[in-house]
Amino acid sequence: KGSRESLQKQNDVAKVLGLPRIENIRQLEKLKESKVLVPIPNTVLIDERIPEEFRFIRHTVAPYLEELGIRFINKFGRQLQVNSAIRTTVYQEYLQKFNSNAAPVVGDRASTHTTGSTFDIGKKGLSKEELDWLREEFVFLEEHNLIEATEEWSQLVFHIMVFDWHMFSLSK
């Protein structure tokens, strides 16, 4: 479940890893050009409401999302959906104007979507078996300090911040 402590941990990890907040589209484009940000893997569906320019994540996060997508397809025969990924601080401020659930841009509870290390997986339409499988996956990885996961209820998503994924892989 989401908590102030969870947001604090995400922001602490962002500081330790030296993850910059992506302020605007110009900075976002530079990070894409330098391959720090890469497209969301095609092993997951992308919610059509995500603007094209925000369909990216950090290159260190992509391997986990790709693996998660493959494992979900292999287990359930269909793809997960990503409902949110990278955001600029400008876009996050815009979201705050009409979405009371949107995290702030600065401070201990700032959104880590602005670092490119966070994405949301949609829960809508998933079966109990699929949800339970994802919950077990996320709890296991949290216990190993590889991700911070929050199951949100008002937005029907799992909010996932991936830490240093290159240090660990579930591939057999």
Side-chain angles (χ1 to χ4, degrees):
K1 294 182 179 177
S3 66
R4 183 174 183 81
E5 292 77 23
S6 176
L7 283 170
Q8 177 69 52
K9 181 176 181 179
Q10 292 173 53
N11 281 283
D12 289 347
V13 169
K15 286 177 193 168
V16 168
L17 295 178
L19 302 177
R21 304 291 174 163
I22 300 161
E23 295 180 26
N24 53 43
I25 294 295
R26 193 173 87 233
Q27 186 180 7
L28 180 74
E29 291 303 324
K30 285 181 181 179
L31 292 169
K32 289 179 195 177
E33 287 172 18
S34 67
K35 306 291 188 218
V36 169
L37 295 176
V38 298
I40 294 171
N42 62 7
T43 59
V44 295
L45 296 172
I46 300 172
D47 187 320
E48 63 187 28
R49 295 172 294 178
I50 300 176
E52 292 284 333
E53 64 269 26
F54 297 142
R55 296 179 180 195
F56 290 79
I57 54 177
R58 292 188 71 78
H59 70 286
T60 55
V61 173
Y64 170 65
L65 185 54
E66 182 174 31
E67 261 185 55
L68 178 66
I70 290 169
R71 291 175 55 241
F72 192 86
I73 291 168
N74 289 341
K75 176 99 175 139
F76 299 106
R78 66 187 189 123
Q79 291 178 291
L80 287 169
Q81 179 171 294
V82 171
N83 286 8
S84 184
I86 185 72
R87 298 179 192 152
T88 61
T89 58
V90 170
Y91 188 70
Q92 187 69 25
E93 287 171 340
Y94 165 76
L95 287 178
Q96 283 185 291
K97 291 179 182 176
F98 67 88
N99 181 349
S100 61
N101 294 314
V105 174
V106 296
D108 294 345
R109 298 183 317 136
S111 173
T112 54
H113 282 284
T114 62
T115 68
S117 60
T118 301
F119 56 87
D120 293 345
I121 295 288
K123 296 190 310 182
K124 187 176 181 180
L126 296 180
S127 70
K128 180 180 180 337
E129 181 184 6
E130 292 167 332
L131 289 168
D132 288 345
W133 184 85
L134 287 168
R135 288 177 184 124
E136 287 178 23
E137 160 89 6
F138 299 146
V139 167
F140 173 80
L141 295 174
E142 268 196 336
E143 288 172 349
H144 288 84
N145 210 30
L146 296 167
I147 69 169
E148 181 68 15
T150 300
E151 184 168 2
E152 296 182 13
W153 297 96
S154 61
Q155 296 183 25
L156 294 179
V157 298
F158 290 104
H159 170 90
I160 311 297
M161 181 184 182
V162 179
F163 302 161
D164 261 344
W165 188 252
H166 69 278
M167 302 295 290
F168 183 80
S169 176
L170 295 176
S171 296
K172 304 287 184 223

